[in-house]
Amino acid sequence: VVIGNAIMYEVCARISEWVGLSFRDQREVCYMMLYTIACMFNVLLDFVTTYTTAEIILESLGFRTYFGLHFRDVNSFTQKFETYGMQRSLAENTYSYAFPSTFLIPFLIEWMPTIALPYLVGKLIVKSHPEVRGLDAEGWLEMLPMDIGRYADLLLNIILGILIFY
């Protein structure tokens, strides 16, 4: 998830720069919208895959509905979606998807590639190249500009938290 997020950060940042918006705050909003849409599309694909997998499993294990009807004999999507077996399977998978891989781990280790690694690389460059001094050295050691993509992550987490209840 962390590596995928880092790739998505870069792709969305490049697209928002390419669009040619005049002000930084407009670029940031464009970036946040692109990132949120991309992540929600990813979640949608994950849920479609999870639903399809759960459907195959429930049919092959011979699950029945509350009324005793075999799961494979249920015809409509809505009726299949509302069966206890499907609801339980989707809820467990959504929870497993959300915690710890989405709600916890990215927030624990994201600082490494976004804050610590650039600082350490800059420190090594400044230390090993005596010609890098003054403003150039400060440029290598300063923190990268923060973006509002964290808000997109929070929106995604809120949406996932809500989906657990469905």
Side-chain angles (χ1 to χ4, degrees), residues 48-67:
V48 167
T49 304
T50 300
Y51 177 85
T52 305
T53 304
E55 184 177 29
I56 292 168
I57 290 170
L58 293 175
E59 287 177 2
S60 64
L61 291 177
F63 269 66
R64 294 178 179 265
T65 65
Y66 176 77
F67 302 106

Side-chain angles (χ1 to χ4, degrees), residues 12-28 30-31 34:
C12 291
R14 287 181 187 228
I15 291 172
S16 63
E17 288 288 329
W18 175 77
V19 169
L21 297 169
S22 301
F23 299 103
R24 183 171 182 234
D25 62 338
Q26 292 174 334
R27 286 191 303 269
E28 291 291 323
C30 176
Y31 166 81
L34 288 170

